[in-house]
Amino acid sequence: MSDFSLNVNGGARHVAIACGGTGGHLFPGMAVGEQLLLRDCNVTLLISPKEVDQQAVKSASGMGVETLPAVALTKGGYLGFFVGFWKSWRRARGLFKKARPDAVLAMGGFTSAPPVLAGKMMGAKVFLHDSNSVPGRANRWLARFADQAFIYFPQAANRWHGCKAEAIGMPVRSCFLEPVDPEAARMSLGLDPKIPVVLVMGGSQGAAKINEMIIAALPLLTKGKFQILHLTGATDFEKTRAAYATSPVKAVVKPFLSEMNLAMGAADVAVSRAGASSSAELAAMRLPSILIPYPAAADNHQFENAKAFFESGAAWMIEQREATPKRLAEMILDLAQNQEARSAMRDSLGKWHDPKAAELIADRICKAMETGASHV
């Protein structure tokens, strides 16, 4: 739990960052938090009870951490949504009474909505960050309460109503801004340092369909001169590990990895969902990838994310309905063996990465806090 007496007694500005629910919200929030700490702010991360949040936040050095009740909007689950919303709002309000935030930054998802409203009621500045090409439902609703929104995809700018949206890039943790030695990264992960690596990942919680396709494609992937680092998520870990145990394909299988900079630094090619946070980290590490958008993502935003990367030459993409094991294996083999294609992709990925995105957001927040009460 965070020490809320820090803000009361220390006189430093206090910024609450609502970033729970998925790694795609949490990790960018942590990146901004790192920069706010450097600007002498007190930072509190507001996260969900999900295990992915509880594990990932262990690396949030110097920041307070508070868990809020889960808030999820599912079809037909409106009663549960309102109960969770009310509990989360009461919890956030109680925390903020102990140490009023000067600003609240929401990174997306309905988990961030109750603390935004609680902070707004106490006069805090409100900022939103949306990482997708189609702004999320929660952020679209919260826009009316916000001073400013920060976005990753420029084409999302005209989808906001109620607040100014600025294309400012995607914050990534400082570890993604540092060079990684591929051989050293492979050794630290239990891989052969001399053999190329294909990284398979499905986001912070894994992707069952990608896991299934890779398992089915293993007989075809024996043609490739590479090893695989497969991040499965907790549910499919044992099943996937067992499949590799009977295959000649050399692999390291893990349910989750917090050191994603090492995983991407070790890899030559990635197979990934098209969540914005993962895509931004791929761009930061200049890692060529095959993107398979999650078809059930809200507003089909992963398809739009992948399409933007594909059309700019920064990735290959294939829709899940077309991604048979045979087709996916062919794409992996083609990209792994095509050095020219990977080189061109790395050049294009540079257009999707601004190493100062977290700094710029922190600067905007600090400047706004200096001006006093919210004008919205």
Side-chain angles (χ1 to χ4, degrees):
M1 304 293 282
S2 63
D3 182 0
F4 273 75
S5 64
L6 272 174
N7 182 256
V8 174
N9 299 327
R13 295 290 190 176
H14 175 207
V15 182
I17 303 179
C19 53
T22 72
H25 296 151
L26 179 57
F27 294 133
M30 290 170 59
V32 177
E34 290 175 354
Q35 292 299 319
L36 288 166
L37 290 177
L38 295 175
R39 289 153 178 78
D40 297 320
C41 294
N42 291 324
V43 177
T44 303
L45 301 179
L46 305 175
I47 65 172
S48 80
K50 289 184 178 180
E51 183 64 18
V52 63
D53 283 15
Q54 300 297 320
Q55 291 298 321
V57 82
K58 291 179 179 179
S59 63
S61 177
M63 302 177 221
V65 178
E66 296 289 344
T67 299
L68 300 180
V71 181
L73 180 59
T74 57
K75 187 175 182 180
Y78 297 111
L79 178 60
F81 169 78
F82 286 116
V83 170
F85 196 104
W86 172 249
K87 289 181 177 179
S88 183
W89 179 82
R90 287 190 64 188
R91 172 66 176 153
R93 183 171 168 237
L95 294 172
F96 291 169
K97 281 185 175 180
K98 296 178 182 178
R100 187 185 69 83
D102 297 281
V104 178
L105 170 64
M107 302 303 297
F110 280 102
T111 298
S112 66
V116 163
L117 297 185
K120 183 69 176 179
M121 292 175 68
M122 294 183 176
K125 292 280 188 176
V126 172
F127 300 91
L128 310 176
H129 183 276
D130 201 291
S131 54
N132 291 302
S133 54
V134 180
R137 289 176 294 173
N139 271 348
R140 294 200 302 267
W141 182 74
L142 289 171
R144 72 197 71 185
F145 306 106
D147 290 84
Q148 185 171 1
F150 307 113
I151 58 176
Y152 180 32
F153 287 86
Q155 59 265 43
N158 62 358
R159 294 175 178 264
W160 291 84
H161 304 284
C163 72
K164 175 186 176 184
E166 179 182 3
I168 208 165
M170 183 70 169
V172 296
R173 290 166 287 170
S174 57
C175 59
F176 286 94
L177 305 178
E178 300 165 358
V180 175
D181 177 76
E183 292 191 4
R186 290 170 189 167
M187 289 183 66
S188 70
L189 295 169
L191 295 157
D192 189 315
K194 301 296 184 182
I195 300 177
V197 173
V198 173
L199 170 64
V200 179
M201 59 184 191
S204 57
Q205 300 177 68
K209 191 63 177 180
I210 291 179
N211 294 338
E212 292 173 7
M213 284 189 288
I214 292 294
I215 290 172
L218 283 177
L220 299 172
L221 294 176
T222 57
K223 302 174 184 178
K225 297 179 180 179
F226 50 74
Q227 56 194 323
I228 295 177
L229 173 59
H230 195 143
L231 309 181
T232 63
T235 303
D236 289 344
F237 172 63
E238 292 296 344
K239 177 179 71 174
T240 307
R241 185 170 64 172
Y244 280 105
T246 60
S247 169
V249 177
K250 178 177 174 59
V252 169
V253 184
K254 294 180 179 291
F256 176 80
L257 188 64
S258 57
E259 302 90 352
M260 284 303 299
N261 59 313
L262 294 182
M264 293 187 183
D268 300 86
V269 171
V271 177
S272 175
R273 286 299 193 196
S277 183
S278 296
S279 299
E281 290 169 355
L282 291 168
M285 299 297 292
R286 304 292 197 276
L287 179 57
S289 63
I290 299 165
L291 300 178
I292 307 173
Y294 179 47
D299 300 313
N300 206 20
H301 70 258
Q302 285 207 11
F303 172 81
E304 297 297 334
N305 294 350
K307 181 182 176 184
F309 267 54
F310 171 70
E311 290 181 345
S312 69
W316 288 355
M317 71 170 285
I318 183 170
E319 292 189 64
Q320 185 167 292
R321 66 174 184 268
E322 300 171 352
T324 63
K326 181 176 183 295
R327 179 67 184 124
L328 182 56
E330 290 172 347
M331 292 181 72
I332 293 171
L333 291 168
D334 286 349
L335 189 56
Q337 296 167 3
N338 191 333
Q339 185 174 346
E340 184 177 342
R342 296 197 308 275
S343 179
M345 203 175 289
R346 281 191 289 268
D347 289 340
S348 297
L349 282 165
K351 304 170 188 175
W352 288 100
H353 173 59
D354 184 343
K356 294 187 178 296
E359 296 179 39
L360 291 171
I361 292 173
D363 284 340
R364 299 288 197 280
I365 292 173
C366 288
K367 183 176 180 181
M369 287 190 295
E370 293 173 2
T371 67
S374 172
H375 61 268
V376 175

